[in-house]
Amino acid sequence: MPATVKNLIGGEWVEARSGEVFETLNPATEEVLGTAAKSGAEDVSAAVEAAKAAYQGWRLTPAPRRGEILFRAGRLLMERKEELARLMTQEMGKVIAEARGDVQEAIDMAFYMGGEGRRLLGYTAPVELPNKFGMAIRDSVGVVGLITPWNFPIAIPSWKSLPALIAGNTVVFKAASYTPTLGAEFVRTFQDAGLPPGVFNVVSGPGGAVGNAIVEHPDVKVISFTGSTEIGYSLYARAAQHGKKVSLELGGKNAIIVMDDANLDLALNSALWSAFGTTGQRCTATSRLILQKGIAPDFKEALVERAKQLKLGDGLDESVDVGPLVSAPARENVHRYVEIGKGEARLMCGGQPASVDGKGYFYEVTIFDRVEPGMRIAQEEIFGPVLSIIECSTLEEAIQINNNTAYGLSSSLFTENVNAAFQAIRDLSTGIVYINHGTIGAEIQFPFGGTRGTGNGMREAGQTALDTFTEWKAVYVDYSGRLQRAQIDTEAVLGKDA
Ligand code: UN1
């Protein structure tokens, strides 16, 4: 791992203007990994200047050529997958198999968006006057600002940067404070793939200073943010003062519903994976398990037994199931919620901070029973390995419990009844719905995002990502050689010409 992570601005790897750095830690071992540039507003300004200078050249590069660079970057990410995955496990703690999956999402996104270089589809429609043509095309917007979290240090930056780049924008990317190395290494891949200098700039540093500078900078036209609802909404309000377009992907309080008729083995494995994978630090993590009363007693018993067998440890060890939380403050936050839960509900297992070989920000896999839908542990995002079990009598009740939170990212139903499945697809009011699959594991070709406090109506990934990073331009070409007034001359002109 490089000892010092620098910013990439205008094609040059540079230190923060202030010369300041901050340390990065391995959350499993508490070892210092290195340092990274502690950037501020002046570094953001320099990155925006570089992105502005690169914009015209990149905008005018034919999109299929832009796509070829993305394909090359995709191939480099494939070659570097293992190396990047190992860095990821060390820098933020997720287990190595999941770290590989994180890099794979970026590879998938690079090829998907590379292909958009030959699509970026607009449309034509008939026009109402003769000898006139109409079309709607996508236009780039300019410099875009990407503010990303540490829990998917390569995947989430890829969801944001690749649609932005293929559409002809230039990028200022703030890497997450816990994962500056991954941010820098991700961008290096594009530099190595031949992306021109200044097209993709990365700046590391504290959320406050760097994030605010991106949001406030008048030349950054679009902001795409993934993080907490509190910060997302405050950023949204400030960006609105500048008339910026903002795409938000915020918290979740996702539920799995298990009906009496479900395939119970499948539901059990899925619940364990969705609740405790990534140590519960996914915005899509399952944090509520809604059990129909008939299967609840046996299901809970089996779940707790299996949860207790999950192995905590350093994610580089392939036999480990659950890595550490990302940091000491993250662990304190999880423990604060668990203490609240102990006062509200019944603790079935876990409930304490843990360490492995005396080190690391680990937390025991924790399950609460007898949780009521309105309790704080059933309503607020915890972002840790904590699962709350709620019981229900009917599908309608389960759907109502699912929908009745401040968030709306993903939800899941286990049933063998096709009618119940389609009723749930219709009535679950989340941005992502799974049937017979847990709440995590969205694929990059579909819209990603959620309703209510999870966002602001925008979606990442899929075709919808292009809407964030493009403006529609409606084009009319009148080749009649005379004045034709839309909505006014239509009948007269048609009559005369007929
Ligand atoms: C997140 O936690 O912010 O669907 C993203 C999933 C992953 C992405 C999670 N593909 O769980």
Side-chain angles (χ1 to χ4, degrees):
M1 176 172 298
T4 297
V5 180
K6 293 183 177 169
N7 295 330
L8 183 67
I9 298 179
E12 302 289 332
W13 291 99
V14 292
E15 290 176 5
R17 295 277 162 109
S18 65
E20 287 186 56
V21 295
F22 63 98
E23 286 184 340
T24 57
L25 282 186
N26 180 331
T29 62
E30 300 180 42
E31 279 163 2
V32 175
L33 296 167
T35 60
K38 189 174 176 188
S39 314
E42 64 276 23
D43 303 292
V44 170
S45 286
V48 174
E49 281 311 312
K52 264 175 73 179
Y55 175 56
Q56 287 304 327
W58 184 242
R59 174 177 89 83
L60 296 175
T61 302
R65 300 280 94 78
R66 298 197 292 254
E68 282 160 19
I69 296 177
L70 266 54
F71 288 138
R72 274 205 292 281
R75 286 195 294 271
L76 286 176
L77 287 168
M78 286 172 80
E79 285 169 20
R80 299 176 189 178
K81 180 173 171 178
E82 188 61 23
E83 180 196 337
L84 289 169
R86 294 184 75 81
L87 275 176
M88 192 180 300
T89 298
Q90 292 171 73
E91 199 165 45
M92 55 68 68
K94 70 170 69 172
V95 299
I96 186 73
E98 292 189 41
R100 291 182 191 121
D102 190 312
V103 181
Q104 187 59 44
E105 271 200 63
I107 296 168
D108 297 342
M109 196 54 142
F111 291 121
Y112 181 78
M113 283 297 163
E116 281 304 312
R118 288 184 187 268
R119 279 187 297 270
L120 286 171
L121 298 179
Y123 63 94
T124 64
V127 295
E128 65 187 41
L129 289 156
N131 299 325
K132 189 181 171 192
F133 180 79
M135 62 184 161
I137 58 175
R138 289 185 184 276
D139 203 0
S140 56
V141 292
V143 179
V144 304
L146 314 180
I147 305 175
T148 62
W150 49 265
N151 69 332
F152 277 81
I154 298 251
I156 291 179
S158 83
W159 299 356
K160 298 184 191 302
S161 60
L162 298 177
L165 291 171
I166 198 65
N169 305 288
T170 55
V171 172
V172 175
F173 157 44
K174 182 204 169 301
S177 309
Y178 289 125
T179 53
T181 316
L182 272 307
E185 290 309 305
F186 178 61
V187 177
R188 189 189 303 281
T189 313
F190 289 82
Q191 190 186 29
D192 294 347
L195 199 66
V199 172
F200 195 179
N201 306 278
V202 59
V203 176
S204 65
V210 176
N212 284 340
I214 292 175
V215 172
E216 302 286 343
H217 200 297
D219 292 326
V220 178
K221 302 299 180 200
V222 172
I223 306 285
S224 179
F225 171 85
T226 299
S228 73
T229 300
E230 190 192 347
I231 294 175
Y233 280 3
S234 108
L235 173 160
Y236 192 25
R238 278 177 296 125
Q241 307 283 317
H242 300 272
K244 297 185 184 192
K245 179 154 64 167
V246 178
S247 174
L248 298 174
E249 212 280 284
L250 310 172
K253 194 70 197 173
N254 316 295
I256 288 180
I257 301 167
V258 184
M259 303 304 290
D260 286 345
D261 69 359
N263 175 336
L264 297 177
D265 278 345
L266 175 65
L268 184 63
N269 285 323
S270 303
L272 286 162
W273 167 234
S274 292
F276 305 123
T278 329
T279 321
Q281 301 170 110
R282 290 196 194 208
C283 53
T284 51
T286 299
S287 61
R288 298 180 296 160
L289 180 61
I290 304 172
L291 300 179
Q292 199 173 16
K293 286 200 163 82
I295 51 96
D298 290 350
F299 197 90
K300 285 190 280 196
E301 195 183 322
L303 180 75
V304 170
E305 196 186 306
R306 289 279 304 281
K308 284 180 177 163
Q309 289 163 18
L310 293 173
K311 182 174 165 190
L312 265 55
D314 186 334
L316 287 179
D317 174 347
E318 303 265 1
S319 71
V320 161
D321 299 301
V322 181
L325 291 166
V326 72
S327 67
R331 181 165 70 175
E332 277 158 33
N333 186 52
V334 169
H335 193 55
R336 198 168 52 82
Y337 270 111
V338 168
E339 290 297 319
I340 291 167
K342 287 175 187 167
E344 289 181 319
R346 187 169 76 103
L347 182 69
M348 296 183 86
C349 65
Q352 290 298 333
S355 61
V356 174
D357 300 329
K359 295 278 188 214
Y361 310 124
F362 294 93
Y363 203 88
E364 293 173 358
V365 164
T366 300
I367 301 176
F368 283 104
D369 188 18
R370 298 191 195 150
V371 178
E372 295 297 328
M375 289 177 179
R376 286 190 66 188
I377 56 166
Q379 287 290 331
E380 298 177 29
E381 186 174 48
I382 300 175
F383 228 61
V386 182
L387 182 64
S388 293
I389 300 176
I390 302 169
E391 290 188 26
C392 71
S393 301
T394 62
L395 178 63
E396 288 73 16
E397 187 191 350
I399 291 172
Q400 202 215 340
I401 293 167
N402 175 77
N403 292 351
N404 196 11
T405 68
Y407 301 107
L409 184 53
S410 82
S411 57
S412 144
L413 174 71
F414 284 82
T415 181
E416 298 289 286
N417 177 337
V418 69
N419 297 345
F422 273 89
Q423 187 185 334
I425 291 168
R426 186 191 63 199
D427 293 340
L428 288 165
S429 58
T430 50
I432 305 169
V433 172
Y434 290 98
I435 303 295
N436 293 332
H437 183 292
T439 59
I440 68 175
E443 300 182 24
I444 59 95
Q445 66 276 29
F446 290 104
F448 184 91
T451 58
R452 297 187 283 277
T454 295
N456 62 339
M458 307 294 277
R459 291 291 186 272
E460 300 199 272
Q463 290 293 300
T464 39
L466 296 172
D467 291 333
T468 302
F469 298 108
T470 56
E471 291 275 11
W472 280 108
K473 184 183 276 180
V475 181
Y476 301 93
V477 180
D478 189 322
Y479 55 98
S480 70
R482 60 173 187 245
L483 173 68
Q484 300 197 91
R485 296 174 301 171
Q487 294 91 35
I488 295 168
D489 292 336
T490 316
E491 277 180 34
V493 169
L494 285 177
K496 205 169 73 193
D497 283 354

